[in-house]
Amino acid sequence: MATPRYWLIKSEPSVYAYAKLEEDGRTEWTGVRNFEARNNLRAMTPGDLCLYYHSNEDKAVVGVARVLSKPGPDPTAPGEDWASVEVGPVVAFTTPVTLATIKATPALKDFPLLTRSRLSVTPTPVEHFELVLKMGKTKLPKATTATPKPKARPRARP
């Protein structure tokens, strides 16, 4: 099995909170309308892990999601050149890691949340992924290959 890559994905909690992802079991990550973020979606592979960031209202990393599908066309933009993937929940953070905490952590000065703040999907170095996980007092489950619920529902777009 290939080593997963790491990503940061963002959603406003009022649009699609991490708790909703846990409830649904999986969702199609749609509605990305930035070319760089779209290209990042297209680079994702099943098994990759994503830090799940609540933007605007909470401004905190709150969980880890897993990419479940290969990238495909975004069904919310028929006939257009946008991409989507399916993601499922892995683990909610024990302690959310706030934007203020991230900004105050020197080892995260190059974290994509700070350097590419306008992008909703960004690659994340493994060192940053692991540090944010540790700051959230959270460990990945040993068995992260559990079968998610079968049907993906598109998340609401902002």
Side-chain angles (χ1 to χ4, degrees):
M1 187 173 187
T3 302
R5 287 181 291 171
Y6 301 93
W7 305 90
L8 174 74
I9 58 176
K10 299 179 186 178
S11 181
E12 295 178 28
S14 61
V15 174
Y16 198 84
Y18 187 80
K20 180 69 173 150
L21 178 62
E22 289 182 315
E23 180 184 315
D24 291 346
R26 68 190 308 146
T27 193
E28 199 155 347
W29 204 258
T30 61
V32 173
R33 299 295 184 265
N34 172 285
F35 292 110
E36 186 176 350
R38 177 207 59 195
N39 293 342
N40 290 335
L41 277 172
R42 287 181 175 165
M44 290 178 163
T45 58
D48 287 354
L49 296 175
C50 309
L51 292 171
Y52 198 108
Y53 180 76
H54 278 173
S55 58
N56 293 338
E57 295 116 31
D58 290 351
K59 294 186 180 177
V61 178
V62 297
V64 176
R66 175 181 307 287
V67 176
L68 301 174
S69 71
K70 292 181 179 179
D74 184 335
T76 66
E80 297 180 31
D81 191 25
W82 299 109
S84 70
V85 296
E86 288 184 18
V87 297
V90 173
V91 64
F93 272 30
T94 302
T95 303
V97 181
T98 66
L99 178 60
T101 300
I102 290 167
K103 285 181 175 181
T105 304
L108 293 173
K109 69 178 175 37
D110 295 327
F111 188 49
L113 182 62
L114 305 179
T115 61
R116 306 293 296 150
S117 63
R118 301 288 296 165
L119 289 180
S120 61
V121 179
T122 57
T124 299
V126 64
E127 301 81 24
H128 291 167
F129 181 91
E130 290 172 348
L131 179 56
V132 172
L133 203 63
K134 182 178 178 182
M135 291 167 66
K137 299 177 174 69
T138 303
K139 293 185 179 184
L140 293 175
K142 289 190 189 297
T144 55
T145 57
T147 306
K149 294 179 183 177
K151 184 168 172 118
R153 295 181 9 198
R155 71 183 175 101
R157 290 183 15 219

mmCIF file of all heavy atoms in Angstrom, residues 97-119:
data_model
loop_
_atom_site.group_PDB
_atom_site.id
_atom_site.type_symbol
_atom_site.label_atom_id
_atom_site.label_comp_id
_atom_site.label_asym_id
_atom_site.label_seq_id
_atom_site.Cartn_x
_atom_site.Cartn_y
_atom_site.Cartn_z
ATOM 1 N N VAL A 97 -7.442 22.650 17.246
ATOM 2 C CA VAL A 97 -6.237 23.477 17.173
ATOM 3 C C VAL A 97 -6.617 24.760 16.436
ATOM 4 O O VAL A 97 -6.871 24.746 15.227
ATOM 5 C CB VAL A 97 -5.082 22.736 16.454
ATOM 6 C CG1 VAL A 97 -3.842 23.613 16.410
ATOM 7 C CG2 VAL A 97 -4.789 21.410 17.157
ATOM 8 N N THR A 98 -6.668 25.847 17.182
ATOM 9 C CA THR A 98 -7.148 27.107 16.633
ATOM 10 C C THR A 98 -6.124 27.769 15.719
ATOM 11 O O THR A 98 -4.924 27.513 15.814
ATOM 12 C CB THR A 98 -7.503 28.101 17.754
ATOM 13 O OG1 THR A 98 -6.299 28.453 18.439
ATOM 14 C CG2 THR A 98 -8.536 27.520 18.717
ATOM 15 N N LEU A 99 -6.635 28.630 14.874
ATOM 16 C CA LEU A 99 -5.771 29.412 13.998
ATOM 17 C C LEU A 99 -4.788 30.236 14.825
ATOM 18 O O LEU A 99 -3.607 30.324 14.485
ATOM 19 C CB LEU A 99 -6.613 30.318 13.093
ATOM 20 C CG LEU A 99 -5.849 31.241 12.157
ATOM 21 C CD1 LEU A 99 -4.958 30.457 11.205
ATOM 22 C CD2 LEU A 99 -6.834 32.112 11.366
ATOM 23 N N ALA A 100 -5.252 30.810 15.923
ATOM 24 C CA ALA A 100 -4.366 31.611 16.779
ATOM 25 C C ALA A 100 -3.219 30.756 17.315
ATOM 26 O O ALA A 100 -2.063 31.203 17.348
ATOM 27 C CB ALA A 100 -5.156 32.223 17.934
ATOM 28 N N THR A 101 -3.497 29.522 17.710
ATOM 29 C CA THR A 101 -2.463 28.619 18.216
ATOM 30 C C THR A 101 -1.476 28.272 17.109
ATOM 31 O O THR A 101 -0.261 28.250 17.327
ATOM 32 C CB THR A 101 -3.097 27.339 18.794
ATOM 33 O OG1 THR A 101 -3.967 27.710 19.869
ATOM 34 C CG2 THR A 101 -2.055 26.369 19.290
ATOM 35 N N ILE A 102 -2.000 28.026 15.914
ATOM 36 C CA ILE A 102 -1.135 27.704 14.777
ATOM 37 C C ILE A 102 -0.210 28.886 14.467
ATOM 38 O O ILE A 102 0.990 28.716 14.285
ATOM 39 C CB ILE A 102 -1.977 27.296 13.554
ATOM 40 C CG1 ILE A 102 -2.627 25.924 13.820
ATOM 41 C CG2 ILE A 102 -1.147 27.278 12.279
ATOM 42 C CD1 ILE A 102 -3.714 25.528 12.843
ATOM 43 N N LYS A 103 -0.778 30.095 14.458
ATOM 44 C CA LYS A 103 0.029 31.292 14.182
ATOM 45 C C LYS A 103 1.102 31.504 15.239
ATOM 46 O O LYS A 103 2.175 32.033 14.939
ATOM 47 C CB LYS A 103 -0.871 32.534 14.110
ATOM 48 C CG LYS A 103 -1.674 32.631 12.848
ATOM 49 C CD LYS A 103 -2.508 33.899 12.850
ATOM 50 C CE LYS A 103 -3.237 34.087 11.534
ATOM 51 N NZ LYS A 103 -4.038 35.331 11.527
ATOM 52 N N ALA A 104 0.842 31.083 16.472
ATOM 53 C CA ALA A 104 1.779 31.287 17.571
ATOM 54 C C ALA A 104 2.830 30.180 17.678
ATOM 55 O O ALA A 104 3.684 30.233 18.553
ATOM 56 C CB ALA A 104 1.003 31.382 18.892
ATOM 57 N N THR A 105 2.781 29.197 16.775
ATOM 58 C CA THR A 105 3.700 28.066 16.822
ATOM 59 C C THR A 105 4.782 28.239 15.762
ATOM 60 O O THR A 105 4.503 28.098 14.565
ATOM 61 C CB THR A 105 2.919 26.743 16.594
ATOM 62 O OG1 THR A 105 1.877 26.659 17.568
ATOM 63 C CG2 THR A 105 3.839 25.539 16.701
ATOM 64 N N PRO A 106 6.007 28.560 16.158
ATOM 65 C CA PRO A 106 7.075 28.809 15.182
ATOM 66 C C PRO A 106 7.286 27.670 14.191
ATOM 67 O O PRO A 106 7.570 27.921 13.019
ATOM 68 C CB PRO A 106 8.311 29.028 16.055
ATOM 69 C CG PRO A 106 7.765 29.515 17.361
ATOM 70 C CD PRO A 106 6.459 28.789 17.544
ATOM 71 N N ALA A 107 7.141 26.434 14.620
ATOM 72 C CA ALA A 107 7.359 25.293 13.718
ATOM 73 C C ALA A 107 6.310 25.230 12.606
ATOM 74 O O ALA A 107 6.489 24.505 11.631
ATOM 75 C CB ALA A 107 7.347 23.988 14.515
ATOM 76 N N LEU A 108 5.241 26.015 12.736
ATOM 77 C CA LEU A 108 4.189 26.020 11.708
ATOM 78 C C LEU A 108 4.178 27.303 10.880
ATOM 79 O O LEU A 108 3.207 27.589 10.183
ATOM 80 C CB LEU A 108 2.814 25.796 12.369
ATOM 81 C CG LEU A 108 2.604 24.420 12.982
ATOM 82 C CD1 LEU A 108 1.289 24.371 13.752
ATOM 83 C CD2 LEU A 108 2.644 23.335 11.913
ATOM 84 N N LYS A 109 5.281 28.039 10.914
ATOM 85 C CA LYS A 109 5.306 29.312 10.161
ATOM 86 C C LYS A 109 5.092 29.101 8.663
ATOM 87 O O LYS A 109 4.599 29.994 7.985
ATOM 88 C CB LYS A 109 6.587 30.087 10.439
ATOM 89 C CG LYS A 109 7.852 29.468 9.884
ATOM 90 C CD LYS A 109 9.055 30.343 10.165
ATOM 91 C CE LYS A 109 10.375 29.787 9.774
ATOM 92 N NZ LYS A 109 10.516 29.017 8.582
ATOM 93 N N ASP A 110 5.425 27.906 8.147
ATOM 94 C CA ASP A 110 5.240 27.604 6.729
ATOM 95 C C ASP A 110 4.026 26.697 6.477
ATOM 96 O O ASP A 110 3.884 26.148 5.387
ATOM 97 C CB ASP A 110 6.491 26.920 6.169
ATOM 98 C CG ASP A 110 7.693 27.854 6.194
ATOM 99 O OD1 ASP A 110 7.506 29.071 6.016
ATOM 100 O OD2 ASP A 110 8.814 27.359 6.398
ATOM 101 N N PHE A 111 3.173 26.536 7.476
ATOM 102 C CA PHE A 111 1.974 25.708 7.332
ATOM 103 C C PHE A 111 1.080 26.318 6.250
ATOM 104 O O PHE A 111 0.857 27.531 6.232
ATOM 105 C CB PHE A 111 1.250 25.647 8.683
ATOM 106 C CG PHE A 111 0.090 24.693 8.757
ATOM 107 C CD1 PHE A 111 0.196 23.388 8.320
ATOM 108 C CD2 PHE A 111 -1.115 25.111 9.295
ATOM 109 C CE1 PHE A 111 -0.870 22.505 8.427
ATOM 110 C CE2 PHE A 111 -2.186 24.242 9.405
ATOM 111 C CZ PHE A 111 -2.069 22.930 8.961
ATOM 112 N N PRO A 112 0.553 25.513 5.330
ATOM 113 C CA PRO A 112 -0.252 26.052 4.228
ATOM 114 C C PRO A 112 -1.462 26.884 4.671
ATOM 115 O O PRO A 112 -1.879 27.777 3.943
ATOM 116 C CB PRO A 112 -0.704 24.805 3.469
ATOM 117 C CG PRO A 112 0.306 23.774 3.802
ATOM 118 C CD PRO A 112 0.764 24.077 5.200
ATOM 119 N N LEU A 113 -1.995 26.615 5.849
ATOM 120 C CA LEU A 113 -3.107 27.420 6.349
ATOM 121 C C LEU A 113 -2.690 28.885 6.477
ATOM 122 O O LEU A 113 -3.503 29.785 6.291
ATOM 123 C CB LEU A 113 -3.579 26.874 7.699
ATOM 124 C CG LEU A 113 -4.766 27.572 8.340
ATOM 125 C CD1 LEU A 113 -6.006 27.459 7.459
ATOM 126 C CD2 LEU A 113 -5.043 26.988 9.711
ATOM 127 N N LEU A 114 -1.410 29.111 6.749
ATOM 128 C CA LEU A 114 -0.896 30.472 6.887
ATOM 129 C C LEU A 114 -0.337 31.020 5.583
ATOM 130 O O LEU A 114 -0.518 32.188 5.271
ATOM 131 C CB LEU A 114 0.196 30.508 7.971
ATOM 132 C CG LEU A 114 -0.210 29.976 9.346
ATOM 133 C CD1 LEU A 114 0.974 30.038 10.304
ATOM 134 C CD2 LEU A 114 -1.415 30.714 9.890
ATOM 135 N N THR A 115 0.347 30.179 4.821
ATOM 136 C CA THR A 115 1.014 30.655 3.607
ATOM 137 C C THR A 115 0.104 30.650 2.385
ATOM 138 O O THR A 115 0.353 31.382 1.431
ATOM 139 C CB THR A 115 2.260 29.815 3.297
ATOM 140 O OG1 THR A 115 1.867 28.454 3.081
ATOM 141 C CG2 THR A 115 3.270 29.890 4.438
ATOM 142 N N ARG A 116 -0.927 29.818 2.390
ATOM 143 C CA ARG A 116 -1.872 29.709 1.261
ATOM 144 C C ARG A 116 -3.293 29.831 1.811
ATOM 145 O O ARG A 116 -4.173 29.027 1.500
ATOM 146 C CB ARG A 116 -1.697 28.376 0.527
ATOM 147 C CG ARG A 116 -0.289 28.068 0.063
ATOM 148 C CD ARG A 116 0.233 28.989 -1.015
ATOM 149 N NE ARG A 116 -0.578 28.828 -2.208
ATOM 150 C CZ ARG A 116 -0.795 29.783 -3.098
ATOM 151 N NH1 ARG A 116 -0.231 30.952 -2.947
ATOM 152 N NH2 ARG A 116 -1.538 29.576 -4.151
ATOM 153 N N SER A 117 -3.516 30.836 2.630
ATOM 154 C CA SER A 117 -4.744 30.955 3.419
ATOM 155 C C SER A 117 -6.026 31.048 2.598
ATOM 156 O O SER A 117 -7.095 30.713 3.098
ATOM 157 C CB SER A 117 -4.647 32.155 4.360
ATOM 158 O OG SER A 117 -4.523 33.356 3.613
ATOM 159 N N ARG A 118 -5.944 31.444 1.368
ATOM 160 C CA ARG A 118 -7.154 31.589 0.545
ATOM 161 C C ARG A 118 -7.575 30.275 -0.120
ATOM 162 O O ARG A 118 -8.672 30.179 -0.644
ATOM 163 C CB ARG A 118 -6.933 32.647 -0.537
ATOM 164 C CG ARG A 118 -6.585 34.018 -0.006
ATOM 165 C CD ARG A 118 -7.719 34.736 0.638
ATOM 166 N NE ARG A 118 -8.753 35.009 -0.349
ATOM 167 C CZ ARG A 118 -9.985 35.377 -0.052
ATOM 168 N NH1 ARG A 118 -10.339 35.515 1.199
ATOM 169 N NH2 ARG A 118 -10.850 35.598 -0.989
ATOM 170 N N LEU A 119 -6.713 29.266 -0.091
ATOM 171 C CA LEU A 119 -7.032 28.003 -0.755
ATOM 172 C C LEU A 119 -7.798 27.067 0.166
ATOM 173 O O LEU A 119 -7.460 26.927 1.341
ATOM 174 C CB LEU A 119 -5.760 27.306 -1.235
ATOM 175 C CG LEU A 119 -5.041 27.945 -2.405
ATOM 176 C CD1 LEU A 119 -3.794 27.141 -2.753
ATOM 177 C CD2 LEU A 119 -5.946 28.062 -3.615
#
